[in-house]
Amino acid sequence: MSWFPERQTNRTWVHRMCERVLKSGPIPKHIAIIMDGNRRFAKKKSMDRAEGHLKGFDKLAETLEWCLNLGIREVTVYAFSIENFKRSKEEVDCLLELARQKFARLLEEKELIQKHEVCIHVLGNLSLLPRDLQELVADAVNLSKHNTRAVLNVCFAYTSRDEISTAIRELAEGVQMGMLKESDISEELLEKCLYTNKSADPDLLIRTSGEVRLSDFLLWQSSFSVLAFVKVLWPEFSIWHFYAAILHYQKNYDAIQSVKQSNRMNVDHQQRESDYQCVLKEVGKTLDHTNCQILVQQYAKDRQERVNKFLECIESKRDQFFDDVAKKRSMTSSS
């Protein structure tokens, strides 16, 4: 099955009416999905695990179409956890082979990618993947990187703990190299060092299969997300389950927005207080209000310049990974 619909599937008047009703309320801009239950579905239907995972991919393609119909322009999916490497060799090999096939299919759909203007991000510790799969991932990312209408984030070889640990190591290296001051490190800066730094946090996180845990998925980013735990195996996830999750988001929208705004104010206050304390520490004396404001504003400006340069360095390093993959492939093919 295609990653993206080549043409709109036939929607009944009931589906169109439901979409109009939902669009009268707030629609999430970004949803995240833990696609759980493929193996249990295979067991339930007495089929091979490989076929269960394939059915799960087909459901993803269908769900992406539902999202586009509702105007949801960013989707993040948990495709392969680092923990999955601990499964049997047979199943790991099966999952990696399915990934090869699907990323190869994605590259065959260049026209559809450009038509829908979808940007593909693959997030995770990609160095853990086999070289040929790294090459396919790099090609998919580079092919779509200039598209801006919609975003599909595929978390592959990913766990949130690994993501946060990587961000902390990069911050420590930034301080060690003199690019950052210790006082520059904040929640906001750490967040910008995560794999998802180009995306807003998900408004809605859906997990299927009846499990009520996040399984190390977007732990930081989902702090203020509406969570929807659906008691259905992923391949059996229907458009009605999808509509119900959107309704669940709308029912909790006001409460979540209030908490997010309060948190934003607290973060801004903490940053201003940190800048003020840093100025006092550097100057070493009490200042009058006017001079203090000027110095704090200048310190904040200098801090932001340091942070921007550091983040540019991180982004360049991540882009370099894909460039290196392409370069090694070119060297191998020429030899």
Side-chain angles (χ1 to χ4, degrees), residues 177-193:
M177 295 169 62
M179 299 181 69
L180 294 173
K181 294 183 177 181
E182 287 187 24
S183 58
D184 294 338
I185 298 177
S186 63
E187 289 183 21
E188 188 174 18
L189 179 54
L190 192 151
E191 188 173 279
K192 291 178 179 177
C193 294

Side-chain angles (χ1 to χ4, degrees), residues 183-189 261-281 289 292-301 303-304:
S183 58
D184 294 338
I185 298 177
S186 63
E187 289 183 21
E188 188 174 18
L189 179 54
Q261 184 177 3
S262 176
N263 179 71
R264 180 71 262 170
M265 292 172 63
N266 288 335
V267 168
D268 291 343
H269 173 74
Q270 290 172 6
Q271 187 61 72
R272 289 194 298 271
E273 181 63 24
S274 175
D275 290 343
Y276 174 72
Q277 293 298 330
C278 288
V279 167
L280 288 185
K281 185 176 181 180
H289 180 71
C292 184
Q293 271 195 322
I294 293 172
L295 288 174
V296 169
Q297 289 173 358
Q298 184 59 49
Y299 183 88
K301 180 180 178 182
R303 171 181 54 76
Q304 194 59 53

Side-chain angles (χ1 to χ4, degrees), residues 1-6 57 61 102-116 143:
M1 186 173 181
S2 169
W3 282 72
F4 307 106
E6 297 185 39
F57 174 82
K102 295 310 175 183
F103 278 108
R105 177 63 184 270
L106 183 64
L107 293 172
E108 295 172 0
E109 299 182 331
K110 296 178 183 180
E111 292 184 2
L112 280 176
I113 291 175
Q114 303 309 327
K115 174 184 175 182
H116 293 289
L143 170 68

Side-chain angles (χ1 to χ4, degrees), residues 125-174:
N125 190 346
L126 304 182
S127 64
L128 298 176
L129 301 178
R131 172 60 59 179
D132 63 327
L133 186 50
Q134 289 182 23
E135 293 172 357
L136 289 170
V137 166
D139 287 343
V141 170
N142 288 330
L143 170 68
S144 65
K145 63 183 178 183
H146 298 301
N147 294 339
T148 57
R149 178 170 174 259
V151 177
L152 172 61
N153 302 310
V154 181
C155 291
F156 209 94
Y158 172 93
T159 63
S160 193
R161 285 176 294 178
D162 177 75
E163 177 184 34
I164 294 170
S165 299
T166 298
I168 291 172
R169 283 195 300 271
E170 289 177 331
L171 288 170
E173 289 173 4

Side-chain angles (χ1 to χ4, degrees), residues 11-19 240 243:
R11 289 180 288 161
T12 68
W13 67 269
V14 176
H15 293 140
R16 291 192 294 271
M17 182 184 70
C18 288
E19 288 171 8
W240 305 111
Y243 288 161

Side-chain angles (χ1 to χ4, degrees), residues 63-99:
T63 304
L64 292 177
E65 182 178 1
W66 301 338
C67 290
L68 288 173
N69 289 337
L70 266 186
I72 298 168
R73 298 305 177 194
E74 183 160 14
V75 178
T76 300
V77 296
Y78 203 3
F80 189 89
S81 167
I82 291 175
E83 295 298 312
N84 289 155
F85 283 112
K86 297 178 181 178
R87 295 182 180 180
S88 69
K89 184 179 184 304
E90 179 184 3
E91 185 169 2
V92 171
D93 289 345
C94 167
L95 288 169
L96 294 179
E97 181 56 33
L98 178 62

